[in-house]
Amino acid sequence: MSDPNEFSAAAAELMPEVIERLEALVRIPSVAFPGFDPEPVHAMGAAVVELFEAAGASGVTLLDVPDGYPCVYADLPGPAGSPTVLLYAHYDVQPAPKSQGWTSEPFEPVTKDDGRIYGRGAADDKSGLVIHYGTLKLLGPDRPCNLKILVEGEEETISHLEAFVEANPELFAADAYVIADIGPQRVGRPGLTTALRGDVACTVTVRTLANPVHSGMFGGAAPDAMTAMIRILDSLHDENGDTTIPGVDSGSWGGADMDEEVYRDGSSILPGVEFLGTGSLSDRIWMKPSVTVLGMDLPNTAEASNVLLPEVTAKLSMRIIPGSDGDAQLEALMSHLRSQRPWNCEVEVEKVKVGQPFAVDESHPAIIAANDALAAAYGAPVESIGSGASIPLVASLKKVAPEGAIVLWGAEDTAQSRIHASEESVDPGEIERMIAAQTLFIVELAASGTK
């Protein structure tokens, strides 16, 4: 193996520039959600092109993605016959409303006393962008293998990239895909993610009345749609909080344990509030299904009046376990909802999306090389961990290159990053270590000739 100290030293020397680049990217409010100003999203795409050009990449371009924001793409040739590694990240971010409880401006990065950089996207996933930037800088112009760059502009919303990738497989074929959009349990503890839960979603609409009616005159016999909805939603869990839907799969986790202290801190669960479910904590968040009510159409308390509601719609998301079929799991959820008809109410269920789960082939030479590079860069054993989050693009990449390895890592530590929430942050030391690890991985993979 190459000397990991060489890459660590080079990454350390590069960090002032990397932090400056990261802070500039965080200042761009690239929220790709419908209803938000599209101009900052396009500005962010252009900034990413400039970022990789500054790292020495040539031919970096914005590709039009039908019905969506453009993706950043580059194809950087290396020695003939060498393997191809594709580096992926995304440049869009979650919204950052003041109501979340930010104590600083979300799009004005700030380094606080703990040394972490705070701001929306500082971790998810602009840290991934600068990890790739640092990797290209360390590799220099004489790259040891073929590299491709793919940066998405709407990962946080309804992505159109999967269909585009599958329609253009020649652009995205690779021997290894590095997804820098995840991270370890805690800073300084290297983690390689080997399983992702999938994410399926639907809406359920309950109707009981033709129109709203007075709750005093008619309540007690005429069923309220909200009350019927509550009964339906209550059927999704048992008394322990386990998801109980016929036909939905469960499993058990065989890798590193989820650190309960990390999980408790990261989840912000209130003192005294109990965990849901049964079994190990790792099983519950990585190898069991979980169903969540994401939103509901009904009056807010300020506008509530004394009426029975005739109709209520809820949007549900269900995380599904690696190894399960997303379409079948969604159908099981939708069938269960259709079968729940308290007081013979009308129930209508509609599909929203299917995001397939994924399990890494840990015997793949590229995964072994990634594990070795992480261990060398961190000077610590690597934890094989799962993730309850979903990255739908992974399924499309596997269609393009079924034998390709998927490397899932990054700087988004579970304990403190608070991605999608207020006070999102990243530890610069984690970015530094990941630049060294990723560079070492590419060098060693190229030297091995693994394809």
Side-chain angles (χ1 to χ4, degrees), residues 349-428:
V349 184
E350 294 186 351
K351 172 182 174 179
V352 173
K353 70 170 184 177
V354 174
Q356 298 289 350
F358 177 70
V360 170
D361 177 5
E362 296 184 64
S363 67
H364 195 291
I367 299 302
I368 295 171
N371 190 90
D372 291 345
L374 269 182
Y378 279 76
V382 177
E383 295 179 328
S384 173
I385 55 177
S387 175
S390 304
I391 303 177
L393 180 65
V394 168
S396 297
L397 296 176
K398 290 301 289 183
K399 289 180 181 178
V400 168
E403 302 303 317
I406 305 289
V407 178
L408 296 156
W409 60 20
E412 303 169 21
D413 64 292
T414 303
Q416 294 178 270
S417 285
R418 290 177 60 87
I419 64 172
H420 295 202
S422 62
E423 311 296 79
E424 180 181 348
S425 69
V426 69
D427 184 284

Side-chain angles (χ1 to χ4, degrees), residues 1 6 59 102 152 266 271 291 320 348 381 415 433 439:
M1 175 176 279
E6 174 188 345
W102 288 85
E152 182 174 4
V291 62
I320 57 175
E348 180 181 341
R433 286 183 285 270
T439 307

